[in-house]
Amino acid sequence: MHINSPAIFSGENVKVDVKKTNEYTRVLSIDIPWDELKVDFDKSIKKFGKKVKMPGFRSGKLPKDRLLRQFQPNIEAEFMENNFQKYYLLAVQQEKLVPVNKAEISEVQFQMKQHFSFDAKFEVEPEVILPKLKKNSLKVQKTVYRHDEHDIEDAIMQLRKAHATITTVEDGAVEGDYLICTLQKLDETGVPIIGKKFEKQYLRVGKGSFTDDQKDKLIGLKTGEKTRIKIPVSKEGEDGDYELTVSNIEREILPEVTEDFLKLVNPDLKSVKELMVDVEKKIESNFNERSRQAFDRDLSDSLIELANPSFAPSMVENYMNNLVEDVKKQNKGEPLDESKVREHYKPSAERNLKWFSLRNKIIESENISISKEEVDAEIKTLVHRSPQSEKEIIKFYKKPSNRQRVEDDIQEKKILDYLKQFAKVKEVEVLTKDLREQDHEH
């Protein structure tokens, strides 16, 4: 909460007692004497008087003693309502506290010419204490990926698919073809259900789209022909019966790996062998990046586990509220089970808040800063990687929020580089063959 009030209490007899309930909860007991309140209370009387209409008196001209005689409890109640925030903010500023949620007000006492006292309970960001780090304090795993020929073949297949052409075929559908079709849902007796007709649907023949018995019904189909199939309609495995009518059949034609194909992929490549080398370099680069990201995450997780910093529950709640709003925007008005979203993301939110507090403490303790020159150099590196997009990249990073993102990335790298000196690294070798088998199982 940002406090705008420039002045602290003017009276010497104002009492502000701070009670620390736990690492993140504070209770301020605030007691303001009448001398400090009088000016504000007189303003409340005048303000209240302007709203009162009484026969024989012009609006706002009702005598003060008459107003108090008739409306004192109302004026006192309005004064409290209008001034809680002012005195609370002054007390918070005086005690150099930064609340992270709205205060709960209790134990309120006030009458004219007497003290105004109340308690304000709120949460603050807990003080973070970094553990004393030494060599091998942080246990971290580093994955070394070992790729094989299959990865290269897969990558070249992806390049072929990226440059594939689509042609309409008149002969019967084969595995891998796409059927543009109409699906009419049927009831248990095979009668079409009104309102359940779906046109211009794309279905792939086989290749993981259907079980083998369904795939067999699609192979050989021609334009205009029909068949009856079952399509899963729920995670529980329930199937729906549909009549499928073929409107069109499209086939993906993959280019052969020839000199013409090399020109499409990269004009600088002179031979298929060069293509293989280039593809392998990219595979190694991708797996190295995957390994680096996992290592960095493991390093930060290791510090989180060692330090185990506390956090204010309201900070998690604020984080989750923002996250739910982001998911709603991505969902574009579709129904959303907020409780499930919160349940799913809560562990991640708590982890991120812990890391955020620790990294801030490291920045402070190690005096980590980022210069304008460092940000400019990083942007130049990005331009060097994609020289064809130089103008777009430079324009993109002229925006302050995008430059800030680069600065944050450099800062994160410096923090992790600092932590690496305390890491005990265990290397684990992973064969990409095993990864493919896991993906196939899922």
Side-chain angles (χ1 to χ4, degrees), residues 8 12 22 27 61 82 92 134 141 146 151 180 209 222 239 247 269 305 314 322 327 341 365 387 397 424 441:
I8 311 298
E12 293 180 6
N22 54 38
V27 179
K61 297 296 181 182
N82 292 338
V92 161
K134 52 190 179 182
Q141 180 174 300
R146 303 293 181 205
D151 294 303
I180 295 90
S209 296
K222 295 180 180 178
D239 293 337
S247 309
L269 297 172
E305 188 178 348
S314 60
N322 291 332
V327 174
V341 173
S365 64
Y397 286 111
K424 183 179 181 181
E441 287 170 9

Side-chain angles (χ1 to χ4, degrees), residues 262 268-280:
L262 293 178
D268 295 334
L269 297 172
K270 301 292 186 289
S271 66
V272 174
K273 188 176 179 182
E274 280 189 23
L275 172 66
M276 296 285 210
V277 171
D278 186 57
V279 164
E280 189 164 19

Side-chain angles (χ1 to χ4, degrees), residues 3-261:
I3 300 164
N4 294 314
S5 184
I8 311 298
F9 295 112
S10 57
E12 293 180 6
N13 296 322
V14 175
K15 291 179 184 175
V16 181
D17 178 55
V18 184
K19 185 180 177 185
K20 183 179 176 181
T21 308
N22 54 38
E23 289 175 303
Y24 52 81
T25 306
R26 302 289 182 273
V27 179
L28 286 186
S29 294
I30 304 166
D31 188 287
I32 310 112
W34 175 249
D35 287 347
E36 183 84 14
L37 304 170
K38 193 173 183 307
V39 172
D40 282 338
F41 192 76
D42 285 342
K43 287 178 185 174
S44 289
I45 295 171
K46 286 177 183 175
K47 190 176 177 183
F48 192 91
K50 288 177 182 178
K51 296 187 290 184
V52 175
K53 292 181 180 178
M54 196 172 282
F57 295 95
R58 281 186 296 155
S59 179
K61 297 296 181 182
L62 196 65
K64 182 179 174 181
D65 59 344
R66 180 75 180 270
L67 265 173
L68 289 171
R69 192 163 61 246
Q70 196 160 346
F71 299 108
Q72 184 172 326
N74 307 70
I75 296 168
E76 288 169 348
E78 194 170 278
F79 169 79
M80 286 187 284
E81 187 67 33
N82 292 338
N83 286 280
F84 276 129
Q85 189 73 352
K86 174 184 175 178
Y87 294 120
Y88 163 65
L89 290 178
L90 285 170
V92 161
Q93 187 183 21
Q94 179 173 291
E95 300 304 319
K96 295 182 171 59
L97 294 169
V98 182
V100 294
N101 68 333
K102 190 176 179 180
E104 294 175 22
I105 305 296
S106 62
E107 304 298 325
V108 182
Q109 290 187 351
F110 174 66
Q111 279 187 329
M112 189 178 73
K113 297 185 179 180
Q114 294 183 22
H115 287 225
F116 177 26
S117 64
F118 61 92
D119 286 356
K121 181 181 177 183
F122 54 91
E123 292 178 359
V124 295
E125 191 172 338
E127 177 64 25
V128 176
I129 299 170
L130 281 174
K132 288 184 178 177
L133 296 171
K134 52 190 179 182
K135 197 175 180 183
N136 298 334
S137 287
L138 306 173
K139 309 292 186 286
V140 191
Q141 180 174 300
K142 184 177 183 181
T143 306
V144 180
Y145 292 101
R146 303 293 181 205
H147 68 275
D148 55 28
E149 291 297 317
H150 200 293
D151 294 303
I152 298 171
E153 289 167 11
D154 282 350
I156 289 175
M157 178 57 78
Q158 289 304 316
L159 286 172
R160 292 175 70 197
K161 284 179 176 290
H163 294 89
T165 54
I166 302 295
T167 185
T168 300
V169 294
E170 298 300 330
D171 56 334
V174 299
E175 186 163 1
D177 284 352
Y178 290 91
L179 303 182
I180 295 90
C181 58
T182 298
L183 292 171
Q184 171 64 64
K185 192 169 186 185
L186 309 172
D187 66 15
E188 292 176 0
T189 63
V191 175
I193 301 172
I194 295 170
K196 294 289 182 180
K197 186 176 184 180
F198 307 100
E199 296 182 352
K200 293 184 180 177
Q201 301 299 303
Y202 273 73
L203 290 184
R204 196 171 191 196
V205 180
K207 303 284 186 184
S209 296
F210 284 100
T211 54
D212 285 342
D213 61 329
Q214 299 295 301
K215 177 181 74 177
D216 292 343
K217 291 183 178 180
L218 303 180
I219 288 175
L221 282 178
K222 295 180 180 178
T223 301
E225 292 185 343
K226 299 182 179 185
T227 190
R228 187 165 165 173
I229 61 168
K230 288 184 180 292
I231 299 177
V233 292
S234 72
K235 291 179 182 177
E236 287 71 34
E238 292 179 25
D239 293 337
D241 285 323
Y242 288 84
E243 183 180 67
L244 179 153
T245 306
V246 180
S247 309
N248 206 0
I249 302 169
E250 291 183 350
R251 185 167 296 162
E252 190 178 50
I253 308 297
L254 298 177
E256 293 302 319
V257 182
T258 61
E259 283 189 11
D260 288 339
F261 176 69

Side-chain angles (χ1 to χ4, degrees), residues 143-147 151-152 154-156 158-159 277-295 385 432 435:
T143 306
V144 180
Y145 292 101
R146 303 293 181 205
H147 68 275
D151 294 303
I152 298 171
D154 282 350
I156 289 175
Q158 289 304 316
L159 286 172
V277 171
D278 186 57
V279 164
E280 189 164 19
K281 278 182 183 175
K282 286 186 170 69
I283 288 169
E284 285 176 353
S285 176
N286 288 339
F287 277 118
N288 287 340
E289 178 61 16
R290 181 171 171 175
S291 176
R292 184 196 65 78
Q293 288 180 3
F295 177 83
R385 283 182 201 154
T432 57
L435 294 177

